[in-house]
Amino acid sequence: MMTYSCELKKGQMGMPTGYGKVIILLAFFVGIFFQAQTNRYIYELRLKMDSTDHDYQKYHMILDIGKDETKFYGRDLLISDSINKKFGNLESKHVDMTGQIIKRKTGSSTNENFLNIKFDYYTYSTTDPIHWEIDKETKKFNNYIVQKATADFGGRQWIAWFSTEVPLNEGPYKFTRLPGLVFEIYDDKNNFIYKLVKNEKLLKNVDTNDFLESNFGNKAVKVNEGQRRKLLMDFYNDPFSFERTNLANKQDLNINIGGNQVKNVEELNAQVKTMQGIISKYNNPVDLNKAIKYK
């Protein structure tokens, strides 16, 4: 954290010389600090890619709460971006596997969602009001008192624990508009479990243009809900359309998919069937009511 110090000298009345100037200067620095400051909260997210799984995938997710914007994204995206900026290239890339990259105006229920589909990157807007029921039940979370709230959202029943001791009406993913920061939240089937593990204050807003608004060179293309569903369905119907085109044009006769060499259409179709099985199995998005019904 930056610190500022001034040497004060005594005047005739026992008042430091230039006292008024120091107060003005201090107020200026404090104003800059709060204007530029970002509150960063890191959550451990445990999720089941398949609702029938017993094991969890674990990710660390970042919630950046700025004066004007709140962003939620995977820490691995930030790490890859930091490596690129350090070495001046785009060699380090990361594709999000959680489907939970979000940007919104701080305190808003309208979210800008970001999504990878194979080689491309898309954004679409959703309005996600959550009607919370606040319970009197409380418990200790580290050194904080947190209070229980419940909601039906996205086709799941959610239990949240928030603290009014941190008066930020934000939380991970789309879980906002409670009278305090969300420390912990999970659905009643324990498919998704978010727990706050760390926080820090940043003196300036975080530049996410290279990995959130775009994905390491791929600028997000804006689509609507119907287009999003069609893109996902098209991908399911032929997840290797790019390879199929190359094979048909004989541009690439050495196609490798999952460690398997594909030399003809029959072998490619077999890989399509395998991939379709994987897509169908791991179809457990946090917004369950917006899951694609693959046929």
Side-chain angles (χ1 to χ4, degrees):
M1 178 179 290
M2 280 188 179
T3 58
Y4 300 93
S5 61
C6 299
E7 183 180 352
L8 304 181
K9 297 181 180 179
K10 292 284 187 179
Q12 290 182 342
M13 301 297 294
M15 183 70 71
T17 303
Y19 182 77
K21 291 182 180 179
V22 171
I23 292 296
I24 292 171
L25 186 62
L26 181 59
F28 172 74
F29 283 134
V30 169
I32 289 177
F33 176 77
F34 283 106
Q35 183 177 11
Q37 180 177 325
T38 293
N39 291 286
R40 171 169 289 174
Y41 296 91
I42 300 176
Y43 292 82
E44 180 190 85
L45 167 61
R46 292 192 294 147
L47 63 84
K48 293 181 179 181
M49 302 294 287
D50 174 4
S51 60
T52 64
D53 282 347
H54 295 291
D55 297 326
Y56 288 90
Q57 301 293 317
K58 187 167 74 173
Y59 301 90
H60 282 94
M61 308 294 291
I62 292 175
L63 177 69
D64 282 340
I65 306 173
K67 178 176 177 289
D68 299 315
E69 287 187 327
T70 292
K71 301 176 182 182
F72 186 68
Y73 54 90
R75 188 174 64 177
D76 287 341
L77 288 168
L78 181 64
I79 291 171
S80 290
D81 184 62
S82 299
I83 292 171
N84 290 333
K85 284 182 168 55
K86 181 176 180 179
F87 295 103
N89 57 41
L90 280 174
E91 291 300 316
S92 180
K93 298 183 180 182
H94 179 73
V95 174
D96 169 75
M97 298 298 292
T98 68
Q100 298 187 35
I101 305 177
I102 296 292
K103 181 172 80 169
R104 59 177 168 261
K105 291 184 178 179
T106 297
S108 173
S109 295
T110 299
N111 294 287
E112 189 174 355
N113 307 258
F114 296 86
L115 176 68
N116 292 93
I117 302 178
K118 200 166 184 180
F119 302 124
D120 297 312
Y121 194 56
Y122 300 93
T123 178
Y124 60 99
S125 179
T126 56
T127 301
D128 306 291
I130 302 178
H131 304 290
W132 295 102
E133 294 286 340
I134 297 179
D135 197 284
K136 292 182 179 179
E137 184 179 350
T138 61
K139 68 177 184 178
K140 287 288 290 281
F141 188 106
N142 294 337
N143 295 321
Y144 291 87
I145 299 295
V146 293
Q147 188 171 353
K148 185 179 181 181
T150 58
D152 182 352
F153 174 71
R156 301 182 191 273
Q157 292 288 329
W158 295 93
I159 300 96
W161 295 90
F162 68 94
S163 178
T164 57
E165 296 176 51
V166 184
L168 296 170
N169 310 126
E170 287 288 354
Y173 191 50
K174 300 178 180 180
F175 302 112
T176 183
R177 307 298 291 273
L178 276 166
L181 182 73
V182 175
F183 278 55
E184 182 180 13
I185 185 166
Y186 44 87
D187 68 285
D188 63 348
K189 300 291 192 299
N190 283 327
N191 280 269
F192 295 86
I193 304 169
Y194 304 79
K195 282 190 178 182
L196 180 62
V197 294
K198 185 179 179 181
N199 73 285
E200 56 187 332
K201 293 184 184 294
L202 310 178
L203 289 183
K204 62 181 181 179
N205 292 327
V206 181
D207 181 6
T208 59
N209 285 320
D210 289 335
F211 65 89
L212 193 151
E213 288 81 0
S214 63
N215 184 248
F216 304 104
N218 281 345
K219 186 172 176 59
V221 176
K222 193 168 184 62
V223 296
N224 58 35
E225 175 61 15
Q227 291 169 322
R228 179 191 77 91
R229 298 182 72 86
K230 184 179 185 305
L231 285 164
L232 288 170
M233 201 69 216
D234 287 348
F235 176 66
Y236 173 80
N237 287 332
D238 195 357
F240 303 117
S241 58
F242 178 78
E243 290 82 357
R244 186 180 300 279
T245 299
N246 284 348
L247 193 63
N249 295 334
K250 298 183 179 180
Q251 293 177 354
D252 188 352
L253 298 178
N254 189 30
I255 298 172
N256 186 301
I257 298 176
N260 298 307
Q261 293 296 320
V262 175
K263 299 178 181 178
N264 54 56
V265 173
E266 289 74 21
E267 292 179 353
L268 183 63
N269 289 339
Q271 292 296 323
V272 166
K273 291 294 184 184
T274 300
M275 179 57 73
Q276 286 176 335
I278 292 171
I279 293 171
S280 295
K281 177 177 173 60
Y282 297 115
N283 185 27
N284 188 35
V286 60
D287 296 281
L288 188 60
N289 60 339
K290 294 183 179 178
I292 305 295
K293 295 181 179 179
Y294 296 112
K295 298 178 182 179

